């Protein structure tokens, strides 16, 4: 199912949109597309190509509308693709690693698959902050970490994980966790993965208790959230599988398809008592409805704490599942969503359109 923003426009002026393309402002991604009259192409707001004069541009809400007006998609910013989406050939590699974490995919292996090693290196550096080979090492050591915590032999785990020597395994383990494998039994790991959605790619984090983070990869405060979460749990965030990820992906797919209005995947969101209360209250807002920050404060029996409630909403690290997008201004205006106002509008439209069918 798709949501047509033309049915519920964001009322962005041409001047604001033009300034957004000059600034390459990621917060406008998905809210409009820029069509250039002189070249006949259309771009996403963050396109790095040379900017046209304002009199030479038109703005459209959807790629379909731009195409119907005779414009072609830009070859620089690829507006028909989802922002930060994982390419299919990389998805295949990640699936293989998930099935066999001890697998070592070398540059030679990539070339045999007609994959340019430099291309995959750049993609991983851009989207994960590490190279593909570093990603493989982290995934491998994470799997070994869990085996050791489950009581398996350190020596057997080391060799089963593809390490040629116990010392090499120990050095890798120490470099990531700061302790030896034997001491690692008391350590904590936060698993992280990427999830593709119609609104762009998201990062999901999970621990044994449940999902502890779900955010869009372009969220400005994401790095701060990672650091805060790691500090709260005294843990290391590392690429790896988690029993909650498959359930999360399935339920998100159902939600975005309009078939799910409540999530049952386990959540774990550490915070102060007040934050916990606010996040719990957010989960009581019915699908397809909204509340104001004032109403949220009243429901918490803290009517004078509107600002504190709004601040706690902003500290929510589990987007969509803890639905802070359902809280709006007292006059109904959309404010305060880390994923961007356009995504907040999209989610509310999705829920409103599907309320009667669920």
């Amino acid at each position: 199912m798709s949501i047509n923003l033309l049915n519920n426009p964001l009322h962005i002026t041409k001047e604001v949109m033009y300034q957004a393309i000059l600034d390459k402002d990621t917060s406008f991604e998905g809210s409009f597309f820029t069509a250039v009259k002189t070249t006949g192409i259309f771009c996403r707001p963050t396109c790095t190509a040379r900017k046209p004069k304002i009199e030479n541009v038109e703005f459209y809400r959807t790629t379909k509308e731009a195409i119907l007006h005779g414009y072609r998609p830009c070859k620089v910013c690829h507006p028909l693709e989802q922002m930060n989406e994982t390419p299919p050939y990389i998805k295949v590699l990640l699936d293989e690693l998930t099935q066999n974490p001890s697998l070592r995919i070398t540059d030679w292996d990539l070339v045999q698959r007609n994959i340019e090693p430099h291309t995959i290196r750049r993609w991983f550096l851009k989207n994960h902050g590490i190279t593909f080979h570093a990603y493989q090492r982290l995934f491998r050591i994470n799997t070994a970490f869990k085996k050791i915590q489950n009581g398996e032999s350190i020596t057997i785990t080391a060799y089963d994980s593809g390490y040629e020597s116990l010392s090499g395994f120990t050095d890798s383990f120490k470099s990531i966790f700061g302790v030896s494998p034997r001491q690692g039994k008391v350590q904590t790991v936060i698993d992280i993965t990427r999830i593709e959605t119609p609104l762009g790619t998201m990062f999901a984090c999970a621990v044994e208790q449940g999902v502890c983070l779900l955010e869009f990869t372009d969220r400005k405060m994401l790095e701060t959230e990672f650091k805060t979460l790691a500090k709260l749990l005294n843990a290391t965030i590392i690429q790896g599988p988690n029993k909650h990820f498959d359930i999360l992906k399935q339920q998100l797919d159902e939600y975005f398809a309009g078939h799910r209005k409540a999530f049952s995947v386990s959540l774990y969101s550490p915070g102060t008592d007040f934050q916990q209360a606010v996040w719990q209250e957010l989960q009581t807002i019915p699908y397809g409805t909204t509340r104001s920050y004032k109403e949220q404060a009243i429901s918490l029996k803290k009517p004078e704490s509107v600002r504190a409630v709004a601040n706690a909403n902003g500290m929510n690290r589990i987007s969509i599942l803890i639905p802070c997008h359902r809280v709006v201004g007292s006059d109904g205006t959309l404010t305060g969503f880390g994923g961007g106002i356009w995504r907040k509008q999209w989610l509310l439209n999705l829920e409103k359109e599907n309320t009667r069918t669920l």
Side-chain angles (χ1 to χ4, degrees):
M1 174 184 175
S2 62
I3 299 296
N4 185 353
L5 290 177
L6 289 173
N7 294 332
N8 201 334
L10 300 181
H11 305 294
I12 307 173
T13 66
K14 182 174 183 178
E15 289 71 25
V16 169
M17 289 188 284
Y18 186 72
Q19 188 60 49
I21 70 171
L22 294 180
D23 297 338
K24 303 182 185 65
D25 192 336
T26 58
S27 67
F28 284 88
E29 274 293 336
S31 60
F32 69 84
F33 295 89
T34 306
V36 185
K37 300 175 184 178
T38 53
T39 62
I41 66 170
F42 68 94
C43 310
R44 58 173 78 247
T46 54
C47 185
T48 57
R50 184 177 178 180
K51 303 306 176 188
K53 295 179 180 179
I54 191 170
E55 60 266 24
N56 291 330
V57 298
E58 295 179 302
F59 296 101
Y60 296 103
R61 299 290 182 183
T62 65
T63 57
K64 178 180 178 181
E65 187 182 4
I67 291 172
L68 289 176
H69 281 79
Y71 290 96
R72 308 182 309 277
C74 174
K75 293 183 179 181
V76 176
C77 64
H78 306 289
L80 295 181
E81 298 178 6
Q82 287 186 16
M83 192 68 170
N84 299 322
E85 183 178 14
T86 304
Y89 71 92
I90 292 182
K91 289 181 181 179
V92 171
L93 296 175
L94 296 180
D95 286 343
E96 289 183 23
L97 290 174
T98 298
Q99 295 299 320
N100 182 12
S102 64
L103 186 66
R104 291 175 181 267
I105 302 175
T106 65
D107 284 351
W108 186 86
D109 295 325
L110 294 174
V111 171
Q112 298 308 302
R113 301 177 187 220
N114 295 318
I115 299 173
E116 172 56 51
H118 290 299
T119 299
I120 197 170
R121 176 186 174 87
R122 285 194 299 270
W123 188 88
F124 270 85
L125 283 171
K126 176 184 177 182
N127 293 283
H128 289 283
I130 55 176
T131 66
F132 176 52
H133 296 307
Y135 179 96
Q136 292 185 72
R137 288 195 296 272
L138 289 177
F139 202 86
R140 190 161 54 245
I141 204 73
N142 188 338
T143 303
F145 173 90
K146 292 187 174 73
K147 288 182 177 180
I148 292 172
Q149 287 211 319
N150 287 332
E152 295 192 25
S153 162
I154 293 174
T155 301
I156 293 175
T157 297
Y159 289 108
D160 283 350
S161 300
Y163 286 87
E164 297 178 356
S165 69
L166 184 58
S167 60
F169 173 73
T170 300
D171 290 343
S172 294
F173 198 99
K174 282 184 176 179
S175 69
I176 294 171
F177 299 111
V179 297
S180 69
R182 191 172 302 279
Q183 295 171 311
K185 293 183 179 181
V186 297
Q187 292 293 108
T188 303
V189 157
I190 300 170
D191 300 306
I192 184 171
T193 191
R194 286 166 57 93
I195 297 178
E196 313 292 352
T197 80
L199 292 184
T201 305
M202 303 185 80
F203 276 129
C205 290
V207 289
E208 178 67 23
Q209 298 93 321
V211 174
C212 55
L213 181 143
L214 181 66
E215 292 281 22
F216 291 99
T217 57
D218 57 2
R219 187 188 186 342
K220 293 181 179 179
M221 294 294 291
L222 186 59
E223 191 64 32
T224 299
E225 288 189 334
F226 283 150
K227 291 178 180 177
T228 300
L229 188 61
K231 184 176 181 180
L232 284 170
L233 300 181
N234 189 27
T236 301
I237 299 177
I238 186 171
Q239 303 289 342
N242 188 284
K243 64 183 181 181
H244 300 293
F245 286 155
D246 287 342
I247 301 172
L248 173 62
K249 291 175 182 177
Q250 177 185 340
Q251 294 192 357
L252 280 175
D253 286 344
E254 293 169 351
Y255 170 81
F256 280 111
H259 303 316
R260 173 176 288 276
K261 63 178 179 179
F263 296 91
S264 60
V265 62
S266 298
L267 305 182
Y268 183 66
S269 191
T272 66
D273 290 343
F274 180 74
Q275 289 173 335
Q276 294 277 358
V278 170
W279 298 335
Q280 286 292 329
E281 191 62 31
L282 282 171
Q283 295 176 70
T284 69
I285 304 176
Y287 180 99
T289 67
T290 59
R291 284 184 194 163
S292 69
Y293 292 99
K294 180 67 174 178
E295 290 170 333
Q296 190 75 349
I298 292 173
S299 66
L300 286 162
K301 296 181 172 54
K302 295 182 180 293
E304 305 304 319
S305 302
V306 177
R307 182 168 295 184
V309 168
N311 183 60
N313 278 4
M315 298 296 287
N316 170 37
R317 291 180 291 271
I318 306 179
S319 182
I320 301 177
L321 279 63
I322 298 180
C324 54
H325 62 276
R326 294 176 191 160
V327 182
V328 299
S330 57
D331 60 354
T333 56
L334 304 188
T335 59
F337 187 63
I341 295 300
W342 73 272
R343 285 193 176 108
K344 185 168 186 170
Q345 180 71 75
W346 199 102
L347 293 169
L348 292 177
N349 284 351
L350 170 73
E351 296 180 1
K352 183 178 181 181
E353 291 193 9
N354 286 286
T355 298
R356 297 178 181 177
T357 62
L358 289 170

